[in-house]
């Protein structure tokens, strides 16, 4: 599978307000550090299905409900730890064959 360019990344939380915005900023930092071209957005759980993302990033209790809407679904524990988010993104991208980033 070829990595999309630009990649559509969606940060998800239950209500799509505070925590998804914080996660958006953390993911943006990680993606920029990886040198990738991505459009990053944030939303609530119920709106996520209609947005057609390539990557979904969110808390585990939400990402379980989002299986199948994107080739890559990444569960994060700490919305502020950009290094851990970057590590999880790299591992998830490698798992779907999107090469070394």
């Amino acid at each position: 599978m070829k990595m999309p360019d630009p990649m559509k990344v969606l940060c998800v939380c239950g209500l799509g307000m505070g925590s998804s915005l914080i996660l958006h900023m953390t993911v943006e930092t990680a993606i920029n550090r990886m040198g990738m071209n991505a459009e990053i957005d944030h939303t609530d759980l119920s709106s996520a299905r209609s947005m057609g993302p390539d990557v979904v990033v969110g808390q585990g209790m939400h990402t379980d409900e989002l299986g199948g809407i994107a080739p890559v679904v990444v569960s994060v524990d700490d919305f502020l730890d950009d290094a851990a988010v970057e590590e999880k993104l790299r591992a998830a991208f490698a798992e779907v064959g999107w090469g070394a980033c």
Side-chain angles (χ1 to χ4, degrees), residues 11-30:
C11 302
V12 178
C13 75
L15 299 176
M17 298 170 77
S19 56
S20 66
L21 177 59
I22 292 167
L23 184 57
H24 178 141
M25 293 184 291
T26 302
V27 167
E28 186 171 48
T29 298

Side-chain angles (χ1 to χ4, degrees), residues 9-80:
V9 180
L10 189 58
C11 302
V12 178
C13 75
L15 299 176
M17 298 170 77
S19 56
S20 66
L21 177 59
I22 292 167
L23 184 57
H24 178 141
M25 293 184 291
T26 302
V27 167
E28 186 171 48
T29 298
I31 291 285
N32 286 340
R33 201 167 37 228
M34 294 165 71
M36 302 177 78
N37 185 21
E39 297 170 359
I40 304 167
D41 202 357
H42 61 279
T43 193
D44 64 281
L45 186 60
S46 61
S47 300
R49 287 200 175 279
S50 66
M51 297 182 76
D54 300 305
V55 178
V56 174
V57 182
Q59 194 172 20
M61 64 191 219
H62 298 305
T63 55
D64 290 346
E65 298 174 49
L66 295 170
I69 72 161
V72 175
V73 178
V74 177
S75 174
V76 296
D77 301 315
D78 184 345
F79 284 19
L80 299 173

